[in-house]
Amino acid sequence: MEFDSIRPAISGAIGGIIATWLTSRWARNLPSHYKGWSRDYLLRRHRPAIWTANALFFIGLCSGIALYPMGGFANTDWRPLLLGFGLASVLPLLALAVVSLLSGRNLKEAYVAFALGQGSPLWATYGILGAGTVAFFFTLASLGPESVNPTHWR
């Protein structure tokens, strides 16, 4: 086995170790209360919104990856991957808003509970999701009729 073939696995393992270290460090510094409510209470109260947001996050990622074989995109095209990242950011934000509004719960509390449920500070959670939202609209603007291989559909 050559080093070039295992280099992505080594890189992924190192990235996973760094991410695990960061989240464990951040988890110690997360607030235990928000506006008088405990973290556990907020997580229980907004559980349906958090579960829906997490499910839609993974659906967004998978749809971006699925666009490569199903959408006629080349393997080197960045747009399906960026669209998947964008969907994985936009869909959870919409889910938190819709589920909170339909259930009559506080929207801001739901966003705070979601970030606490991810084990990361608000700035990290919504910084990443905000970047994904920008990526989503950027990718939508770059997609057009000429972006898809028309021979794929014949």
Side-chain angles (χ1 to χ4, degrees):
M1 186 182 305
E2 295 181 22
F3 180 71
D4 286 341
S5 65
I6 63 168
R7 187 173 39 190
I10 293 171
S11 173
I14 291 171
I17 290 169
I18 292 171
T20 303
W21 173 77
L22 271 176
T23 55
S24 68
R25 184 171 172 91
W26 284 340
R28 285 183 258 146
N29 298 326
L30 289 177
S32 61
H33 289 76
Y34 173 74
K35 290 190 176 183
W37 302 107
S38 73
R39 178 182 175 192
D40 292 333
Y41 174 78
L42 283 176
L43 292 176
R44 276 193 318 273
R45 179 174 164 86
H46 295 282
R47 185 175 302 173
I50 293 170
W51 279 47
T52 305
N54 284 332
L56 289 176
F57 173 82
F58 286 109
I59 288 171
L61 283 179
C62 292
S63 18
I65 294 169
L67 276 175
Y68 280 105
M70 294 181 350
F73 289 95
N75 289 342
T76 57
D77 197 349
W78 54 268
R79 292 173 296 183
L81 194 58
L82 205 56
L83 185 63
F85 173 53
L87 282 173
S89 300
V90 170
L91 292 177
L93 293 173
L94 289 174
L96 289 169
V98 169
V99 172
S100 295
L101 292 174
L102 289 177
S103 62
R105 295 194 172 103
N106 187 325
L107 182 61
K108 189 173 180 181
E109 269 182 23
Y111 283 118
V112 171
F114 179 70
L116 292 175
Q118 304 311 308
S120 65
L122 288 170
W123 62 266
T125 301
Y126 295 109
I128 292 170
L129 293 180
T133 302
V134 170
F136 176 72
F137 290 110
F138 175 77
T139 306
L140 282 183
S142 72
L143 291 175
E146 69 282 349
S147 66
V148 179
N149 182 1
T151 59
H152 177 75
W153 298 102
R154 293 182 192 179

